[in-house]
């Protein structure tokens, strides 16, 4: 390829990158606003210019060839450099401005981030925020999102990870429900109770617990109501329908006003929300002011909030 020949295949490089990352011409085409056949033609043009097959196509899947793996890394570097160039003005601007796109899991976005983002928007009138509420793991580089909040015990490699707050699942029930049933002192006592679980996966009713370094327990619970929405499970617990597993941040106010009570507080419930909430973003020598001020605002607000609870 000649010195300037790559200029005419820059769009093809972007298309190849998206196809390789998503593993599908259709998914890449949807993201890029084109047809799958157009995406396929662009990748073929890139292969012709490079002089090597980059993707092996079958009826069921796409697989990168050895040259394709190398090309993917180079195309990703190219797109990151382009995104960096587009942010040059922001990096050297003293005043934060522009749109910040941030994604977070549904419950965390609604109960934790949303109130602090409202305050942030009041403090920074030149910065706009798009809050993307998604429970799936979003790749900030591939999907063009500035900041990603993820709840995990181990943040992914290749991204800057700033710790926002610890997260955990807890069990709770209304005082009225607890007064009517058998005492719950050990996880096995839950077998005699109606338990409100997620129901997203086959083992979501297998509740696992840990106490200290040695004690562990697993019980298969049953209940009259199953929902994959934590706010729904909390409302069911408030209505006296049983013992709910919910994120601790979801139950905070209900615990404070006494409308629900913690169950098995001396046992650690091994639920989906376990570990810490991290705010993630691509590594760079510079963080644009609009992102930096939102990161700092969330870190400070959540640290202050935790301090008030102690």
């Amino acid at each position: 390829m000649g010195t300037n020949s790559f200029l005419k295949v820059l769009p093809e490089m972007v298309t190849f990158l998206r196809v390789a990352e998503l593993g599908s011409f259709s998914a890449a085409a949807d993201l890029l606003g084109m047809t799958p056949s157009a995406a396929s033609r662009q990748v073929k043009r890139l292969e012709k210019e490079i002089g090597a097959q980059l993707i092996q196509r079958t009826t069921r899947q796409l697989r990168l060839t050895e040259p394709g793996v190398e090309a993917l890394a180079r195309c990703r570097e190219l797109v990151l450099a382009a995104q960096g160039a587009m942010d040059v003005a922001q990096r050297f601007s003293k005043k934060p401005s522009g749109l910040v796109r941030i994604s977070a899991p549904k419950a965390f976005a609604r109960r934790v981030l949303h109130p602090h983002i409202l305050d942030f928007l009041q403090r920074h009138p030149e910065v706009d925020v798009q809050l993307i509420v998604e429970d799936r793991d979003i790749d900030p580089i591939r999907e063009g999102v500035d900041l990603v909040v993820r709840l995990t015990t181990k943040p992914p490699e290749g991204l800057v990870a700033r710790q926002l707050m610890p997260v955990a699942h807890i069990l709770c029930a209304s005082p009225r429900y607890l007064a009517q049933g058998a005492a719950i002192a050990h996880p096995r006592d839950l077998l005699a109770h109606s338990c409100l679980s997620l129901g997203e996966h086959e083992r979501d009713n297998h509740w696992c617990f840990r106490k200290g370094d040695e004690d562990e327990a697993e019980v298969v619970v049953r209940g009259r109501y199953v929902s994959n929405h934590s706010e729904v499970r909390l409302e069911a617990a408030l209505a006296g329908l049983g013992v709910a597993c919910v994120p601790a941040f979801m139950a905070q106010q209900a615990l404070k006003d006494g409308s629900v009570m913690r169950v098995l507080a001396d046992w650690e419930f091994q639920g989906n929300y376990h570990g810490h909430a991290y705010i993630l973003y691509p590594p760079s020598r510079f963080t644009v002011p609009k992102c930096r001020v939102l990161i700092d605002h969330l870190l400070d607000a959540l640290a202050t909030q935790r301090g008030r609870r102690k």
Side-chain angles (χ1 to χ4, degrees), residues 173-184 193 240 261 263:
S174 71
R176 176 167 58 90
Y177 173 84
L178 293 173
Q180 294 172 349
I184 306 175
H193 286 266
M261 297 176 64
V263 174

Side-chain angles (χ1 to χ4, degrees), residues 178-257:
L178 293 173
Q180 294 172 349
I184 306 175
H186 188 277
R188 62 175 171 266
D189 296 331
L190 293 169
L191 296 174
H193 286 266
S194 173
C195 296
L196 313 170
S197 58
L198 278 75
E200 287 186 329
H201 306 289
E202 184 179 352
R203 290 184 58 84
D204 278 346
N205 66 331
H206 290 240
W207 286 6
C208 299
F209 300 84
R210 178 185 294 274
K211 186 178 182 181
D213 295 328
E214 298 182 359
D215 290 342
E216 294 183 350
E218 179 177 341
V219 293
V220 181
V221 300
R222 296 288 184 270
R224 298 184 57 210
Y225 197 18
V226 176
S227 173
N228 64 348
H229 196 296
S230 54
E231 192 162 9
V232 169
R233 295 196 303 280
L234 177 61
E235 290 179 358
L238 289 167
L241 287 177
V243 179
C245 63
V246 295
F249 58 77
M250 177 65 69
Q252 177 189 343
Q253 184 57 45
L255 289 168
K256 185 177 180 180
D257 63 28

